[in-house]
Amino acid sequence: MYKILIADDHPLFREAITNVIESGFPEAETFETEDLESALELAQQHDDLDLVLLDLNMPGMNGLNGLISLRNEAPTIPVVIVSAEDDKQIVLQAITCGAVGFISKSSPRAQMTEALQQILDGNVYLPSDIIRQTEQDSNRRNRRSNEHPQIAPELLSSLTRRQLLVLERMAKGESNKQIAYNLHIAETTVKAHVSAILRKLGVHNRVQAILSASDIDFAQYLRR
């Protein structure tokens, strides 16, 4: 049975996400709060929480500082940002600050349920539509490149074709289970490919690989 804290200052959204949880995870127990202070208190009282769904703009948050505070106070509890924001940089910054996922409030019910399942299964969830956003502003692109350096071509060339296909789907925000289904391979094989990819690219975790690979032209490397 999952224990999930919904931290959001909008009663209607709390009700909506509670309905999503009750429908997709009937045995889950939910808690509700409407500001960061009470979210911190509840997280400390219930250190066995499986997940915190955190609104980015509720009272006390001060942007991503609230996420950092919650991660510091309750480092063992996974936190997912649930927000109306749809800017790619905010999503990536939230992951960099310790969130294990980012769910858009405009997501369809089925997509929210799938996202929650991925996260509860131990995966990172990134909204693929936002991650695929392109940057028209060259200055913004350059600034992002400085924050998240692109992978060197020689490192990408060291990946096998299958590893490139797995990395391409990782960059789209797919879970290991989705990748296995789409590539018609076992999930354990996907995990082995992911480990090899991280080692070859010299990154420490899946999120770093996704950040670095988000703008790669995979077709260029897959043509070889």
Side-chain angles (χ1 to χ4, degrees), residues 7-110:
D8 193 291
D9 62 329
H10 291 92
L12 286 178
F13 181 77
R14 291 201 305 272
E15 180 180 351
I17 195 68
T18 297
N19 289 337
V20 170
I21 293 169
E22 288 177 347
S23 175
F25 312 91
E27 296 183 358
E29 180 181 3
T30 58
F31 303 83
E32 295 184 22
T33 184
E34 58 185 18
D35 56 48
L36 179 63
E37 183 180 356
S38 52
L40 291 170
E41 290 177 359
L42 275 167
Q44 290 170 345
Q45 292 169 11
H46 301 275
D47 59 1
D48 59 341
L49 284 169
D50 293 290
L51 195 60
V52 175
L53 303 178
L54 189 67
D55 178 29
L56 199 56
N57 298 310
M58 70 177 179
M61 282 295 289
N62 191 22
L64 290 169
N65 288 327
L67 167 62
I68 295 170
S69 297
L70 185 55
R71 295 293 299 132
N72 288 337
E73 292 293 328
T76 63
I77 302 175
V79 180
V80 176
I81 295 297
V82 183
S83 176
E85 298 282 355
D86 61 357
D87 184 271
K88 180 176 179 177
Q89 288 307 300
I90 293 176
V91 175
L92 298 182
Q93 287 168 12
I95 300 299
T96 301
C97 290
V100 297
F102 192 106
I103 300 175
S104 171
K105 287 188 175 181
S106 61
S107 301
R109 185 186 188 93

